[in-house]
């Protein structure tokens, strides 16, 4: 049973549960087939038919078979949204703010229990997202995973340009989580075969600048995206849902650049970015795909020295 369900199940044993609405099954299936719901679950078509999620972590899902059945995950999410408000930070509304927003809009859920999400609210206000920048550090030959460059997102506050405060922004990075000291051959092999878990990390942008510019002597190109504040907020809400959630990391396809394209598809529903990369996702090519989608406003260059 997913760990996220345990507090809910324990509390439901002694607390009355608000009745979740029972939409028409056809309507639920229609919502489960919506590209945006599939994007929230990181689903792709399975090779033998049906669906599979890129997420390799059972605690991301509320339904037992949610990793392969989007409709079951949607039904479980809808039910969990009506759990007792006393669950507070463990409530589905707090754990899944992006799912909550979308289902509230699609089903006009005006009777959800009011839940105080202190941890999420504090985290979100600290980031204070308003706009985003796609950052491309140049290739780093000393690391197999960065031989073709790298991409990350910078999340900016509203006054970043007027006050020149980019150093106070946050960097959103997806990378392989490596424990121990694997030798270079094992490192390359595991990176090619999905032997490392991949995780999202949100860190101060100044730390990434120090890492790339001063420690690795890598030039950076910053692509200002034309995301609206609402689109940026939607993306950051989903980032919260992915905290400490594991994916498999592959150097050449399911890598940093591919995962960021998925986030941009969350930010702007309807834009198709990941479909262009069925086999490999080279960072330079993914930047080009974002440009071709008309999502770049301007480009800034930061030399390493």
């Amino acid at each position: 049973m997913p760990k996220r369900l345990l507090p809910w199940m324990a509390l439901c044993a002694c607390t009355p549960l608000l009745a979740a609405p029972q939409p028409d099954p056809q309507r639920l299936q229609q919502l489960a087939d919506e590209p945006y719901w599939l994007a929230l679950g990181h689903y792709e078509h399975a090779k033998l038919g049906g669906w599979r999620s890129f997420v390799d972590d059972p605690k991301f899902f509320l339904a037992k078979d949610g990793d392969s059945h989007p409709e079951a995950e949607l039904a479980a999410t809808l039910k969990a949204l009506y759990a007792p408000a006393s669950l507070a930070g463990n409530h589905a509304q707090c754990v899944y703010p992006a799912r909550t927003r979308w289902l509230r809009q699609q089903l006009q859920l005006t009777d959800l229990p009011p839940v105080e999400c202190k941890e999420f609210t504090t985290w979100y206000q600290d980031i204070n997202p308003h706009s985003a920048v796609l950052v491309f550090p140049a290739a780093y030959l000393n690391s197999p995973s960065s031989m073709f460059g790298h991409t990350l997102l910078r999340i900016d506050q509203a006054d970043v340009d007027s006050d020149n405060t980019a150093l106070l922004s946050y960097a959103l990075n997806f990378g392989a989580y490596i424990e121990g000291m694997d030798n270079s051959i094992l490192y390359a092999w595991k990176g090619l075969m999905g032997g490392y878990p991949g995780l999202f990390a949100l860190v101060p942008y100044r730390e990434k600048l120090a890492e790339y510019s001063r420690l690795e002597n890598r030039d950076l190109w910053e692509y200002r995206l034309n995301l609206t504040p609402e689109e940026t907020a939607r993306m950051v809400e989903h980032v919260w849902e992915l905290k400490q959630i594991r994916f498999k990391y592959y150097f050449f396809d399911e890598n940093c650049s591919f995962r960021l394209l998925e986030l941009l598809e969350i930010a702007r529903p309807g834009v198709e970015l990941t479909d262009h990369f069925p086999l490999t996702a080279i960072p330079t090519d993914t930047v080009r795909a974002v440009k071709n989608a008309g999502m770049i406003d301007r480009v800034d260059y930061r030399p390493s020295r």
Side-chain angles (χ1 to χ4, degrees), residues 251-255 258 274 276-283 285-286:
F251 284 163
F252 290 122
D253 49 6
E254 297 174 33
N255 55 20
F258 186 83
T274 56
H276 299 298
F277 302 96
L279 298 177
T280 61
I282 305 302
D285 294 337
T286 62

Side-chain angles (χ1 to χ4, degrees), residues 42 52-56 151 153 172-175 198-200 238 242 246-250 253-266 274 281 286:
H42 298 264
R52 65 172 288 270
S53 176
F54 285 119
V55 177
D56 190 39
T151 53
L153 285 172
L172 177 62
N173 185 65
F174 179 80
L199 294 168
F200 282 97
H238 185 57
L242 298 175
R246 291 179 287 107
F247 295 75
K248 285 186 177 180
Y249 188 93
Y250 295 87
D253 49 6
E254 297 174 33
N255 55 20
C256 59
S257 297
F258 186 83
R259 293 284 164 251
L260 295 188
L261 293 183
E262 287 185 316
L263 292 184
L264 294 180
E265 291 179 337
I266 294 291
T274 56
T286 62

Side-chain angles (χ1 to χ4, degrees), residues 1 19 31 81 147 184 214 229 231 235 248 269 277 302:
M1 179 180 294
L31 288 175
L81 293 181
M147 290 179 64
S184 57
R214 290 194 286 274
E231 290 172 331
M235 178 176 66
K248 285 186 177 180
F277 302 96
R302 285 183 184 265

Side-chain angles (χ1 to χ4, degrees), residues 4-286:
R4 295 187 182 193
L5 280 176
L6 294 178
W8 178 39
M9 296 294 291
L11 194 59
C12 287
C14 56
T15 306
L17 194 66
L18 291 178
Q22 299 295 324
D24 178 75
Q26 186 175 356
R27 174 59 173 156
L28 281 182
Q29 186 61 57
Q30 181 186 28
L31 288 175
D33 291 336
E34 281 284 334
Y36 195 72
W37 178 254
L38 297 174
L40 285 173
H42 298 264
Y43 294 104
E44 67 161 353
H45 287 289
K47 293 180 180 179
L48 299 179
W51 298 98
R52 65 172 288 270
S53 176
F54 285 119
V55 177
D56 190 39
D57 198 326
K59 65 177 180 287
F60 178 71
F61 303 99
L62 289 172
K64 184 178 180 180
D65 55 353
D67 62 336
S68 57
H69 290 81
E71 71 284 356
E73 186 65 14
L74 190 147
T77 302
L78 182 59
K79 182 177 180 180
L81 293 181
Y82 283 86
S86 51
L87 277 170
N90 291 317
H91 198 284
Q93 293 182 44
C94 300
V95 178
Y96 303 103
R99 296 190 194 185
T100 302
R101 177 205 286 255
W102 188 74
L103 286 173
R104 191 197 301 268
Q105 293 171 345
Q106 296 299 313
L107 295 172
Q108 288 81 51
L109 302 179
T110 59
D111 59 344
L112 288 176
V115 182
E116 188 175 12
C117 303
K118 290 184 178 179
E119 186 179 356
F120 167 70
T121 301
T122 300
W123 177 86
Y124 186 88
Q125 290 177 346
D126 184 49
I127 299 169
N128 195 14
H130 182 268
S131 58
V133 174
L134 180 64
V135 181
F136 174 75
Y140 184 54
L141 299 182
N142 289 339
S143 172
S145 63
S146 298
M147 290 179 64
F148 298 96
H150 179 62
T151 53
L152 62 147
L153 285 172
R154 193 182 80 206
I155 309 299
D156 288 344
Q157 300 179 355
D159 57 359
V160 65
D161 284 331
S162 59
D163 294 350
N164 194 25
T165 55
L167 292 180
L168 301 180
S169 298
Y170 280 89
L172 177 62
N173 185 65
F174 179 80
Y177 179 69
I178 302 170
E179 293 183 295
M181 296 292 292
D182 292 341
N183 62 52
S184 57
I185 296 177
L186 182 59
Y187 175 70
W189 173 255
K190 292 174 73 172
L192 291 170
M193 303 304 295
Y196 293 118
L199 294 168
F200 282 97
L202 198 67
V203 299
Y205 187 55
R206 61 182 179 274
E207 294 183 9
K208 299 305 290 185
L209 279 180
E211 175 185 341
Y212 291 133
S213 298
R214 290 194 286 274
L215 299 180
E216 299 179 356
N217 294 323
R218 299 169 72 177
D219 296 342
L220 277 76
W221 285 264
E222 299 173 335
Y223 298 86
R224 165 67 62 184
L225 303 177
N226 56 18
L227 296 180
T228 66
E230 181 181 0
E231 290 172 331
T232 306
R234 188 159 46 221
M235 178 176 66
V236 171
E237 287 175 350
H238 185 57
V239 170
W240 171 263
E241 297 178 346
L242 298 175
K243 284 183 61 180
Q244 300 303 310
I245 296 298
R246 291 179 287 107
F247 295 75
K248 285 186 177 180
Y249 188 93
Y250 295 87
F251 284 163
F252 290 122
D253 49 6
E254 297 174 33
N255 55 20
C256 59
S257 297
F258 186 83
R259 293 284 164 251
L260 295 188
L261 293 183
E262 287 185 316
L263 292 184
L264 294 180
E265 291 179 337
I266 294 291
R268 181 165 292 174
V271 67
E272 295 182 357
L273 298 171
T274 56
D275 288 348
H276 299 298
F277 302 96
L279 298 177
T280 61
I282 305 302
T284 51
D285 294 337
T286 62

